[in-house]
Amino acid sequence: MASISQRDSAVILVKAAPRVGETHGELVCCAGLDFNGNWVRLYPVAFRTLEDSQKFGRWDTIEYGWSLPKGDHRHESRRLEHRSLVITGSLVEKSRAQFLARHVVSSLNDELEQGRSLALIRPRNAEFVAERKDRAVLDEEKTRFRSWHDQEANSLFGFMGKDLVPYEPSPFLFKYRYETIDGPREGTCQDWEIEATFLKWKRLYGESETLRKMTERFGVEYPKKGFVLAMGTHKAYPQWLINGVIRLDHGVENEIQQLLF
Protein backbone atom coordinates (compact mmCIF):
# COMPACT_ATOMS: atom_id res chain seq x y z
CA MET A 1 0.00 0.00 0.00
CA ALA A 2 1.45 3.37 -1.01
CA SER A 3 2.10 6.05 1.57
CA ILE A 4 -0.52 8.80 1.38
CA SER A 5 -0.03 12.08 3.19
CA GLN A 6 -3.00 12.86 5.46
CA ARG A 7 -3.91 15.17 8.31
CA ASP A 8 -5.51 14.12 11.58
CA SER A 9 -5.95 15.08 15.24
CA ALA A 10 -5.58 13.21 18.53
CA VAL A 11 -5.37 13.48 22.31
CA ILE A 12 -1.87 12.51 23.45
CA LEU A 13 -1.74 9.90 26.23
CA VAL A 14 1.77 8.46 25.94
CA LYS A 15 5.29 9.77 25.51
CA ALA A 16 7.94 7.12 25.91
CA ALA A 17 11.37 8.12 27.20
CA PRO A 18 13.88 9.11 24.48
CA ARG A 19 15.93 6.41 22.82
CA VAL A 20 18.76 6.59 20.28
CA GLY A 21 18.30 4.53 17.12
CA GLU A 22 20.90 3.70 14.54
CA THR A 23 18.96 5.24 11.67
CA HIS A 24 17.18 8.32 13.00
CA GLY A 25 19.08 9.30 16.15
CA GLU A 26 17.31 10.41 19.34
CA LEU A 27 13.60 9.75 19.07
CA VAL A 28 10.44 9.42 21.13
CA CYS A 29 7.45 7.15 20.50
CA CYS A 30 4.09 8.80 21.26
CA ALA A 31 0.53 7.52 21.19
CA GLY A 32 -2.98 8.77 21.74
CA LEU A 33 -6.62 8.48 20.75
CA ASP A 34 -8.36 10.36 17.96
CA PHE A 35 -11.83 11.76 18.46
CA ASN A 36 -13.42 8.67 16.94
CA GLY A 37 -11.83 6.53 19.65
CA ASN A 38 -9.10 5.08 17.43
CA TRP A 39 -5.55 4.62 18.70
CA VAL A 40 -2.69 6.27 16.82
CA ARG A 41 1.05 5.77 17.24
CA LEU A 42 3.29 8.66 16.20
CA TYR A 43 6.86 7.65 15.42
CA PRO A 44 9.53 8.73 15.01
CA VAL A 45 9.18 12.00 16.96
CA ALA A 46 12.35 14.05 17.39
CA PHE A 47 10.72 15.59 20.43
CA ARG A 48 13.59 17.53 22.01
CA THR A 49 14.29 19.38 18.75
CA LEU A 50 10.68 20.45 18.22
CA GLU A 51 9.83 24.12 18.53
CA ASP A 52 8.78 25.02 22.08
CA SER A 53 5.24 25.73 20.82
CA GLN A 54 5.06 22.15 19.49
CA LYS A 55 6.21 20.30 22.62
CA PHE A 56 3.00 18.60 23.67
CA GLY A 57 2.25 16.82 26.93
CA ARG A 58 -0.25 14.24 28.10
CA TRP A 59 -3.85 15.37 27.48
CA ASP A 60 -2.86 17.92 24.83
CA THR A 61 -4.83 17.80 21.60
CA ILE A 62 -2.75 18.05 18.47
CA GLU A 63 -3.21 18.29 14.72
CA TYR A 64 -0.57 16.73 12.52
CA GLY A 65 0.25 15.55 9.06
CA TRP A 66 1.32 11.97 8.55
CA SER A 67 2.13 9.29 6.04
CA LEU A 68 2.25 5.51 6.29
CA PRO A 69 5.54 4.30 7.76
CA LYS A 70 7.85 1.89 5.99
CA GLY A 71 8.50 -1.43 7.67
CA ASP A 72 5.81 -0.98 10.35
CA HIS A 73 2.60 -2.83 9.57
CA ARG A 74 0.79 -2.05 12.82
CA HIS A 75 -2.34 -0.31 11.57
CA GLU A 76 -2.25 2.38 14.29
CA SER A 77 1.24 3.60 13.29
CA ARG A 78 1.74 6.99 11.65
CA ARG A 79 4.94 8.61 10.41
CA LEU A 80 4.75 12.15 11.75
CA GLU A 81 5.50 15.14 9.55
CA HIS A 82 7.17 17.31 12.19
CA ARG A 83 6.64 20.72 10.62
CA SER A 84 2.89 20.11 10.45
CA LEU A 85 2.46 19.56 14.20
CA VAL A 86 0.22 22.05 16.02
CA ILE A 87 -1.09 21.96 19.60
CA THR A 88 -4.76 22.96 19.44
CA GLY A 89 -5.75 22.66 23.10
CA SER A 90 -5.92 20.30 26.04
CA LEU A 91 -8.56 17.88 27.27
CA VAL A 92 -10.15 19.46 30.34
CA GLU A 93 -9.54 17.61 33.59
CA LYS A 94 -13.19 16.80 34.30
CA SER A 95 -13.47 14.97 30.96
CA ARG A 96 -10.31 12.87 31.22
CA ALA A 97 -11.60 9.96 33.33
CA GLN A 98 -14.56 9.21 31.05
CA PHE A 99 -12.41 9.68 27.96
CA LEU A 100 -9.96 7.06 29.23
CA ALA A 101 -12.46 4.65 30.77
CA ARG A 102 -14.32 4.12 27.50
CA HIS A 103 -11.21 2.48 26.08
CA VAL A 104 -10.09 0.23 28.95
CA VAL A 105 -10.02 -3.43 27.92
CA SER A 106 -9.87 -6.57 30.04
CA SER A 107 -7.71 -8.88 27.90
CA LEU A 108 -4.50 -8.06 26.05
CA ASN A 109 -4.62 -11.48 24.42
CA ASP A 110 -7.99 -10.61 22.88
CA GLU A 111 -6.65 -7.27 21.63
CA LEU A 112 -3.71 -9.01 19.97
CA GLU A 113 -5.97 -11.58 18.34
CA GLN A 114 -8.03 -8.74 16.87
CA GLY A 115 -4.93 -7.18 15.33
CA ARG A 116 -4.56 -4.28 17.76
CA SER A 117 -1.18 -3.06 18.98
CA LEU A 118 -2.22 -0.36 21.50
CA ALA A 119 -4.51 -0.75 24.51
CA LEU A 120 -5.39 0.44 28.00
CA ILE A 121 -5.49 -2.22 30.72
CA ARG A 122 -6.31 -1.94 34.42
CA PRO A 123 -3.74 -4.03 36.34
CA ARG A 124 -4.61 -6.07 39.40
CA ASN A 125 -2.32 -6.68 42.39
CA ALA A 126 0.24 -4.30 40.91
CA GLU A 127 3.73 -4.17 42.43
CA PHE A 128 6.07 -1.31 41.48
CA VAL A 129 9.75 -2.28 41.25
CA ALA A 130 12.88 -0.14 40.80
CA GLU A 131 15.73 -2.20 39.39
CA ARG A 132 19.21 -0.72 39.07
CA LYS A 133 20.66 -1.08 35.58
CA ASP A 134 23.86 -2.97 35.02
CA ARG A 135 26.74 -0.48 34.94
CA ALA A 136 27.81 -1.59 31.44
CA VAL A 137 24.26 -1.16 30.12
CA LEU A 138 23.95 2.33 31.60
CA ASP A 139 27.37 3.37 30.28
CA GLU A 140 26.41 2.17 26.81
CA GLU A 141 23.18 4.20 26.93
CA LYS A 142 25.07 7.33 27.97
CA THR A 143 27.61 6.78 25.19
CA ARG A 144 24.86 6.48 22.59
CA PHE A 145 23.23 9.74 23.69
CA ARG A 146 26.54 11.60 23.85
CA SER A 147 27.72 10.25 20.49
CA TRP A 148 24.47 11.32 18.84
CA HIS A 149 24.67 14.72 20.55
CA ASP A 150 28.25 15.31 19.42
CA GLN A 151 27.47 14.20 15.88
CA GLU A 152 24.47 16.52 15.64
CA ALA A 153 26.30 19.44 17.29
CA ASN A 154 28.97 19.23 14.59
CA SER A 155 26.52 18.83 11.71
CA LEU A 156 25.44 21.58 9.34
CA PHE A 157 22.13 22.30 11.09
CA GLY A 158 23.13 21.42 14.68
CA PHE A 159 19.81 20.69 16.48
CA MET A 160 18.06 23.18 14.19
CA GLY A 161 19.69 26.08 16.03
CA LYS A 162 18.78 24.86 19.51
CA ASP A 163 21.16 24.54 22.45
CA LEU A 164 20.61 20.92 23.44
CA VAL A 165 22.43 19.05 26.20
CA PRO A 166 22.91 15.25 26.06
CA TYR A 167 19.92 13.38 27.46
CA GLU A 168 20.55 11.78 30.85
CA PRO A 169 19.16 8.22 30.97
CA SER A 170 17.85 6.90 34.27
CA PRO A 171 20.16 4.49 36.15
CA PHE A 172 17.05 2.45 37.08
CA LEU A 173 14.48 0.40 35.25
CA PHE A 174 11.01 0.97 36.67
CA LYS A 175 8.76 -2.07 36.38
CA TYR A 176 5.33 -3.37 37.28
CA ARG A 177 4.46 -6.92 38.21
CA TYR A 178 0.70 -7.30 37.89
CA GLU A 179 -2.19 -9.53 36.90
CA THR A 180 -4.95 -9.43 34.29
CA ILE A 181 -7.51 -12.03 33.29
CA ASP A 182 -4.82 -13.36 30.92
CA GLY A 183 -2.59 -14.19 33.89
CA PRO A 184 0.45 -12.65 35.61
CA ARG A 185 2.66 -10.20 33.73
CA GLU A 186 5.78 -8.14 34.28
CA GLY A 187 6.99 -5.21 32.21
CA THR A 188 9.34 -2.24 32.20
CA CYS A 189 7.71 1.20 32.17
CA GLN A 190 8.87 3.21 29.17
CA ASP A 191 6.83 6.23 30.28
CA TRP A 192 8.91 9.41 30.01
CA GLU A 193 7.00 10.94 32.93
CA ILE A 194 8.23 8.23 35.30
CA GLU A 195 11.83 8.57 34.14
CA ALA A 196 11.60 12.38 34.34
CA THR A 197 10.12 12.14 37.84
CA PHE A 198 13.12 10.13 39.00
CA LEU A 199 15.65 12.54 37.49
CA LYS A 200 13.87 15.61 38.89
CA TRP A 201 13.33 14.21 42.37
CA LYS A 202 16.88 12.86 42.54
CA ARG A 203 18.20 16.41 42.17
CA LEU A 204 15.86 17.57 44.94
CA TYR A 205 15.92 14.68 47.43
CA GLY A 206 18.80 12.35 46.57
CA GLU A 207 18.54 8.82 45.22
CA SER A 208 17.35 6.86 48.27
CA GLU A 209 14.58 9.29 49.18
CA THR A 210 13.51 9.53 45.54
CA LEU A 211 13.11 5.76 45.28
CA ARG A 212 11.07 5.76 48.49
CA LYS A 213 8.81 8.56 47.23
CA MET A 214 8.35 6.92 43.84
CA THR A 215 7.43 3.60 45.43
CA GLU A 216 4.91 5.43 47.63
CA ARG A 217 3.34 7.18 44.64
CA PHE A 218 3.43 4.54 41.92
CA GLY A 219 3.43 1.44 44.11
CA VAL A 220 1.01 2.44 46.88
CA GLU A 221 -1.03 5.52 45.93
CA TYR A 222 -1.72 4.55 42.32
CA PRO A 223 -2.87 0.96 43.07
CA LYS A 224 -4.99 2.21 45.99
CA LYS A 225 -6.76 4.96 44.02
CA GLY A 226 -6.71 3.23 40.63
CA PHE A 227 -4.66 3.46 37.45
CA VAL A 228 -4.31 2.01 33.97
CA LEU A 229 -1.34 0.97 31.88
CA ALA A 230 -1.08 2.16 28.29
CA MET A 231 0.27 -0.85 26.45
CA GLY A 232 1.85 -1.21 23.03
CA THR A 233 3.37 -4.06 21.09
CA HIS A 234 6.89 -4.11 19.69
CA LYS A 235 7.18 -3.54 15.95
CA ALA A 236 9.21 -6.68 15.34
CA TYR A 237 7.29 -9.13 17.53
CA PRO A 238 3.87 -9.29 19.26
CA GLN A 239 4.99 -8.64 22.82
CA TRP A 240 3.13 -6.12 24.98
CA LEU A 241 5.22 -3.32 26.52
CA ILE A 242 4.23 -0.74 29.17
CA ASN A 243 4.28 2.61 27.35
CA GLY A 244 2.45 4.74 29.90
CA VAL A 245 1.12 4.83 33.47
CA ILE A 246 -2.04 6.90 33.94
CA ARG A 247 -4.14 7.54 37.06
CA LEU A 248 -7.78 6.48 36.72
CA ASP A 249 -9.99 5.99 39.76
CA HIS A 250 -11.38 2.53 40.42
CA GLY A 251 -14.91 1.98 39.17
CA VAL A 252 -15.08 4.63 36.45
CA GLU A 253 -15.70 2.00 33.77
CA ASN A 254 -18.71 0.68 35.71
CA GLU A 255 -20.11 4.19 36.10
CA ILE A 256 -19.96 4.69 32.34
CA GLN A 257 -21.68 1.35 31.69
CA GLN A 258 -24.51 2.37 34.01
CA LEU A 259 -24.93 5.66 32.12
CA LEU A 260 -25.21 3.80 28.82
CA PHE A 261 -28.04 1.51 29.95
Side-chain angles (χ1 to χ4, degrees):
M1 184 174 181
S3 296
I4 302 173
S5 181
Q6 303 184 53
R7 191 163 184 85
D8 210 337
S9 58
V11 178
I12 294 296
L13 298 178
V14 172
K15 281 192 313 185
R19 297 292 182 262
V20 176
E22 294 181 2
T23 304
H24 302 291
E26 183 187 295
L27 298 169
V28 172
C29 182
C30 305
L33 288 159
D34 68 20
F35 290 97
N36 293 316
N38 301 308
W39 278 102
V40 293
R41 175 188 291 104
L42 305 179
Y43 185 83
V45 181
F47 191 87
R48 294 207 303 147
T49 60
L50 291 175
E51 297 297 327
D52 289 344
S53 61
Q54 294 179 302
K55 290 183 177 178
F56 52 83
R58 179 172 289 162
W59 307 117
D60 281 343
T61 59
I62 64 169
E63 290 184 359
Y64 59 95
W66 62 275
S67 57
L68 292 174
K70 296 180 181 179
D72 184 351
H73 303 295
R74 296 169 295 182
H75 73 86
E76 302 97 336
S77 296
R78 311 282 186 265
R79 183 175 181 85
L80 178 70
E81 297 173 356
H82 287 74
R83 288 180 294 179
S84 70
L85 175 62
V86 178
I87 299 174
T88 58
S90 184
L91 191 66
V92 295
E93 188 170 353
K94 66 180 181 180
S95 300
R96 294 173 184 175
Q98 287 194 2
F99 182 81
L100 274 186
R102 293 176 188 275
H103 303 285
V104 176
V105 301
S106 58
S107 170
L108 294 175
N109 290 348
D110 288 351
E111 296 301 296
L112 202 59
E113 288 177 3
Q114 295 178 53
R116 301 187 182 111
S117 67
L118 291 166
L120 289 173
I121 193 84
R122 189 181 284 280
R124 301 195 299 246
N125 300 322
E127 177 188 1
F128 181 75
V129 179
E131 181 180 294
R132 189 179 294 276
K133 293 177 182 175
D134 181 83
R135 170 56 65 180
V137 171
L138 181 60
D139 288 345
E140 182 181 357
E141 281 188 82
K142 290 180 178 179
T143 297
R144 290 170 69 89
F145 279 111
R146 287 170 182 160
S147 296
W148 173 82
H149 177 275
D150 293 345
Q151 178 180 328
E152 287 297 304
N154 293 321
S155 69
L156 180 62
F157 297 102
F159 309 125
M160 305 300 290
K162 297 178 177 62
D163 184 18
L164 205 66
V165 299
Y167 182 76
E168 179 188 358
S170 167
F172 287 88
L173 294 173
F174 299 103
K175 299 182 175 184
Y176 272 107
R177 299 188 185 109
Y178 61 101
E179 298 174 6
T180 71
I181 64 172
D182 302 320
R185 291 182 176 272
E186 179 177 334
T188 299
C189 303
Q190 302 183 70
D191 194 328
W192 195 353
E193 289 193 10
I194 285 189
E195 193 161 299
T197 296
F198 172 81
L199 296 171
K200 178 181 178 180
W201 285 3
K202 181 184 175 185
R203 290 190 289 270
L204 294 173
Y205 310 116
E207 185 175 278
S208 296
E209 179 63 10
T210 291
L211 294 175
R212 188 196 67 78
K213 290 173 71 70
M214 290 186 70
T215 300
E216 178 66 25
R217 171 172 291 186
F218 298 111
V220 179
E221 177 185 331
Y222 272 38
K224 181 178 180 180
K225 294 182 177 180
F227 74 109
V228 292
L229 299 175
M231 308 293 294
T233 63
H234 194 280
K235 180 175 71 172
Y237 45 85
Q239 176 181 341
W240 288 102
L241 309 170
I242 301 175
N243 293 334
V245 181
I246 311 173
R247 267 274 295 116
L248 180 65
D249 284 351
H250 290 297
V252 179
E253 300 96 309
N254 294 334
E255 293 175 6
I256 291 177
Q257 288 296 323
Q258 291 173 6
L259 290 174
L260 292 177
F261 293 100

